[in-house]
Amino acid sequence: MRKPKLRLLVAAVAILAIANKLPAQTTFPINGVADPREGCYAFTHATIVKDGQTTLSNATMLIRDGKIISIGTAVTLPKDAVVVDCTGKFIYPSLIDIYSDYGVTTPQRQLPGGGGGGFFAQQQFTSNTKGAYGWNQAIHSETNAVALFATDDAKAKSLRDIGFGSVLTHQKDGIARGTGSFVTLANKSENLVIVKDKASTHYSFSKGASSQSYPSSMMGSVALLRQTYIDGNWYKSRPAKEGVNMSLQAWNESQSLPQIFEATDKWSEIRADRIGDEFGVQYIIKGGSDEYQRINEIVATKAPLIISLNFPQAQEVDDPNDARFVSLTDMKHWELAPTNPGAIEKANITFCLTTADLRDVKQFWTNLRKAIDYGLSEAKAFEALTKTPATLLGVYDKVGSLDDGKLANFLITTGSIFNEKTSIIENWVQGEKYEIKEDAWKDIKGIYSLVVNTPTGPVNYTLDVKSSTSANVVLKDSLPAKFSYDGKLVKLSFSPVAPRRFGGGPRRGDSTATPSTTAPDAGGERPRFGGRQGGATTPTGPVIRLSGVNNGDIWQGNGVDTSGNPLSWSATFTKAADAVVDTTKKKPLPKMGAVTYPFGSYGNTELPKAENLLIKNATVWTNEKEGKLENTDVLVKNGKIAQVGKNLSDATARVIDGTGKYLTPGIVDEHSHIAAFSINEGAQSVTSEVRIADNLNPEDINIYRQLSGGVTTSHILHGSANTIGGQTQLIKLRWGADDQGLKFQGADPFIKFALGENVKRTASNQANTRFPDTRMGVEEVLMDAFTRATDYQRQ
């Protein structure tokens, strides 16, 4: 009689523990009756792809409470395990997307004062962010994705359906974007899906939603980012003059995390890497899809890449008027973009793949298989979607492969995941099943014995199932049918009337007509069916409608006949469909066009190489005291003029006959605005920190055009949007070189100043609020800038 009391005492203690919220399960209260059962599942007889190097045949995986417990060919199953027979199925680790904004809203830019037109309209010079933050609102390193994240099952489902189980998410806004969080795509509350709350730090060259005027150019973004690194180092000593700066504090605290930089093209990737090199940071760079165009320069960055599969769509060229506006660059990129992942693999660059930038995530597998057709290996593609992103983020102990102790994030498929005919049946995330294509569990194609129990007795048919959406019902002749199977429910409707042959009359050997053969339909006409006899078509006349469930090899259920009378039915599997041998040959890839330098019109397949030259018998304009020399030779060695005179010779030089030709020094353009992605940083009056060198554009067609006019050297200056525009760059017009190759090495540095109407910008339509507003003010700005610079130098 004492045992019941003991049990009551134990229960009372447990209730007290719950009442006091002891940390036994969770801090969240339960609204209803608790159901704390652990899910234990054993997936048996599967081909388990643990990682890119290890595949187990006829193996078992045991999971419990959202984690993998054991994997192998001799796993002991606990009594409470739900056994899932995976014969003929493959199990893979769920995929990882390292570049996402899942569950995090990206803010939209709001123009100060409600908008306005013009470059300088409604200028905002300082941050409007409330709090003790930095001066520029494009730098918001204090942002943490974990504080903004909210699960979104609709968006999660679109990713789960294509095989993803976890993502790195962050707010895609600003130059310094704060930290990202690594989360799963499970349909759980936020606190249960976050695997690593601060997993990365993010940057870009886009100021995003910032309504602040500065920066307004690529070189301004570079300068702001560089300055923030310098400011962050300075702030480590907590200088009293700065006070509390939460942006710089968060900046410093996040520097130990993996650093991810969004760059939209090859030149931005190289530009970002140089910033990282300057401050001792190796970025993981999220690129575009054009790395193949400058693969050697990309290799030199040593940066791991995040690569999108957003290949360009075909250009509209049917109309000649439209075709005129399609550039050769765009056409070549459309042709070669699918080769990009393969080129990156061939160059031995570490890389991940992402769904980012896709117009529709459903394109992911189509584009991935296209990339494989164009040179990417399946092994490297799999690694880029599992192990590599997990390793870069430091979460490989939790995801990225199927190993004991890791999260139970895995896919069950009908075959090799890269096979076009393979279906993802289920995607399990944190041990919870998400059905993708349940009807693929069993290959239902084959012959079934269909028995329809009508009020007048059973009628035997043959059911020939072609797929989950197509089947024929046969009673000596094929009967038009409509069929569907979703893995659980079976639906079948067909007319018991054989379709009539074109030309009328029964065929030889036709069976006796069923009672409804001559019955008119509701419209008073005989049933009409599309197509010839023997093919499955949708019934259009009186039909038998059946629905039921799958009970293994037997389907059974209820239905109604053509008159609406109830009936029952069953279909028993009798014979598998004959194996279909795929005789289609894989189409060979078309011959690819060459990568040219620059990539586009007038590019060369190889960069020009310096050589020794001997130009003979030319009229030489020396531009020196010697003046114009007739019938003169010029010897060029190692890139410099070695000798000018008559009857010169050099065995190492290639001879060019200059008879009748004129030879002059190349033209130097002292004030030019070509070959740069941006020219003005006009948001402030003094922007001496910005540098043309930070945003040179080596593919500007003006380089080619000016070479054709004799220009060989150009001094690239800022525009006149402000008083002190920034640091200029002297370049050699080397067509095809990269931005470093353009720079005139060893040239003295210069800076751009400006006077006049452009600087003060008093025109009323420009709504300028930036000082100065008069020519007198321009002079004061210059005097003030020089004075402050002198004081700073003295300090």
Side-chain angles (χ1 to χ4, degrees), residues 37 119-121 125 140 183 232 250 310 330 429 451 492 562 611 668 745:
R37 292 174 295 178
F119 179 79
F120 284 103
F125 298 109
H140 43 83
V183 303
N310 182 29
D330 289 341
V429 183
V451 179
L492 174 66
T562 56
E611 57 181 324
V668 178
Q745 300 301 320

Side-chain angles (χ1 to χ4, degrees), residues 242-290:
E242 182 70 11
V244 174
N245 189 321
M246 295 174 65
S247 298
L248 292 180
Q249 181 175 324
W251 172 282
N252 288 333
E253 290 172 350
S254 64
Q255 290 302 304
S256 61
L257 298 174
Q259 311 282 295
I260 298 179
F261 202 111
E262 180 186 48
T264 55
D265 62 81
K266 57 185 183 292
W267 299 123
S268 291
E269 293 172 45
I270 295 167
R271 187 177 300 119
D273 185 70
R274 289 188 187 130
I275 296 173
D277 291 344
E278 182 177 352
F279 296 99
V281 177
Q282 180 59 75
Y283 292 125
I284 302 167
I285 297 179
K286 189 270 177 183
S289 58
D290 60 356

Side-chain angles (χ1 to χ4, degrees), residues 113-128:
F119 179 79
F120 284 103
Q122 303 294 330
Q123 287 177 282
Q124 176 191 327
F125 298 109
T126 58
S127 172
N128 61 14

Side-chain angles (χ1 to χ4, degrees), residues 292-293 311-315 328-339 370 374 592 599:
Y292 67 94
Q293 297 173 15
F311 304 142
Q313 293 178 296
Q315 305 290 328
L328 177 63
T329 300
D330 289 341
M331 289 292 287
K332 286 178 68 66
H333 182 52
W334 165 77
E335 176 191 27
L336 294 174
T339 69
K370 188 172 186 178
Y374 280 68
M592 295 286 102
F599 189 79

Side-chain angles (χ1 to χ4, degrees), residues 150-174:
T151 55
D152 184 338
D153 196 53
K155 291 183 179 178
K157 183 179 184 301
S158 66
L159 292 169
R160 290 195 304 257
D161 285 354
I162 59 174
F164 287 87
S166 52
V167 300
L168 175 68
T169 185
H170 74 289
Q171 188 178 71
K172 293 182 178 179
D173 175 59

Side-chain angles (χ1 to χ4, degrees), residues 28-78:
F28 287 73
I30 296 171
N31 181 24
V33 179
D35 185 10
R37 292 174 295 178
E38 291 183 349
C40 182
Y41 297 88
F43 302 87
T44 62
H45 307 300
T47 299
I48 299 179
V49 183
K50 295 184 64 177
D51 51 44
Q53 290 73 44
T54 309
T55 299
L56 304 177
S57 299
N58 195 26
T60 295
M61 180 171 70
L62 183 66
I63 70 170
R64 183 185 292 277
D65 197 23
K67 291 188 176 181
I68 298 170
I69 301 301
S70 181
I71 295 179
T73 55
V75 176
T76 301
L77 304 186

Side-chain angles (χ1 to χ4, degrees), residues 220-237:
S221 295
V222 172
L224 179 59
L225 192 55
R226 293 178 65 247
Q227 186 63 53
T228 307
Y229 273 106
I230 295 169
D231 291 346
N233 287 330
W234 175 71
Y235 187 74
K236 289 177 182 178
S237 63

Side-chain angles (χ1 to χ4, degrees), residues 779-790:
E779 181 182 4
E780 289 301 317
V781 167
L782 284 168
M783 291 176 62
D784 176 68
F786 276 106
T787 301
R788 288 188 291 120
T790 302

